[in-house]
Amino acid sequence: TGWTAKTLPELSDALASGELTSVELTELYFDRIRLVDPHLNAVLSINAMALDQAIDSDARRTGGQSLGPLDGIPILLKDNIETKDPGLATSAGALALHDNSTGRDSPLVAGLREQGAVILGKTNLSQWANFRSNNSISGWSALGGQVRNPHMLDRSPCGSSSGSGASAAASLAAGIVGTETNGSIICPANVNGIVGFKPTVGLIPQDFIVPISSSQDTAGPMTKSVRGAAMMMDAMA
């Protein structure tokens, strides 16, 4: 119930009409993460600059300078995707990359940012996007522990984008970015009951994402509605 349960298009409309501000929405998601995520381990890190970004978005809307339908929408990123926000590392869930803050945006993040999206933080994942051993555990990382399926905590959240899928299902952000080499968006979208798809490889730039296979890797949107996923894709591509 409440704003956090709405779809991305519904939230975009509410921001455009003035019924809701980005600051209010961002704070609601932070409250939701604090309440729910201790049971899920889906969110790995929070962006200390998120509220500043929300404030800037609200100021743009007030001044008639909206950057588009994603302006002020809080987005979580899988933590193998680089972002320039200070203190927001790109770890792939590994202790070895705990302090890996590169100070640069991957092109897909730059695209989201250019349309005014608020970068809320990073989601947990299967460490190294599940390419760490023949018997790696789906949804486990050294930094974040085991992601849990919000529908039933003892069931698998599936795939390396498990934290992204669980975050979407548990209403921890309006939109979440996952990545897939082989099933890592499709599987968590399936078992967590959300919309997620693997775009054609190359449609979204691969730069500054921790790599596995240049011929198979791609990021993709994960959210509650097909229209919301399409809105994310417009910016990410």
Side-chain angles (χ1 to χ4, degrees):
T1 60
W3 285 116
T4 59
K6 302 290 187 183
T7 65
L8 193 158
E10 289 172 326
L11 293 170
S12 178
D13 290 344
L15 289 169
S17 70
E19 190 177 0
L20 178 69
T21 69
S22 180
V23 167
E24 289 169 341
L25 184 58
T26 300
E27 288 178 333
L28 285 170
Y29 278 124
F30 279 150
D31 289 344
R32 178 81 178 160
I33 290 168
R34 282 189 288 266
L35 176 68
V36 173
D37 194 59
H39 305 286
L40 302 180
N41 291 332
V43 177
L44 200 53
S45 57
I46 291 296
N47 184 10
M49 303 302 295
L51 275 176
D52 289 336
Q53 294 173 19
I55 290 168
D56 290 343
S57 174
D58 289 336
R60 285 192 298 270
R61 286 194 182 276
T62 299
Q65 304 281 316
S66 172
L67 298 176
L70 291 186
D71 205 342
I73 294 287
I75 301 287
L76 284 167
L77 308 169
K78 185 177 177 179
D79 196 25
N80 58 349
I81 301 168
E82 292 189 21
T83 172
K84 68 182 181 181
D85 302 278
L88 201 60
T90 302
S91 73
L95 291 170
L97 297 183
H98 181 261
D99 297 317
N100 180 40
S101 296
T102 63
R104 63 189 181 187
D105 277 339
S106 65
L108 74 88
V109 177
L112 289 165
R113 206 185 293 278
E114 285 168 8
Q115 291 201 16
V118 172
I119 306 303
L120 200 62
K122 298 288 194 78
T123 59
N124 198 6
L125 67 162
S126 305
Q127 187 167 313
W128 299 117
N130 225 23
F131 277 73
R132 54 183 287 269
S133 78
N134 289 332
N135 298 302
S136 59
I137 299 169
S138 191
W140 180 90
S141 75
L143 283 178
Q146 178 63 51
V147 179
R148 290 184 164 83
N149 188 317
H151 299 291
M152 191 169 286
L153 297 178
D154 63 351
R155 298 297 177 92
S156 173
C158 195
S160 76
S161 301
S162 49
S164 297
S167 293
S171 302
L172 303 186
I176 301 92
V177 182
T179 67
E180 174 163 333
T181 302
N182 180 26
S184 290
I185 291 175
I186 299 303
C187 185
N190 172 29
V191 303
N192 289 283
I194 60 152
V195 174
F197 63 89
K198 180 180 185 178
T200 301
V201 173
L203 183 61
I204 295 173
Q206 295 173 317
D207 307 77
F208 309 149
I209 301 173
V210 178
I212 295 170
S213 166
S214 61
S215 63
Q216 291 181 250
D217 291 352
T218 182
M222 303 179 76
T223 187
K224 290 182 176 181
S225 71
V226 173
R227 183 173 163 226
M231 291 164 68
M232 291 176 66
M233 274 292 296
D234 282 346
M236 292 161 62

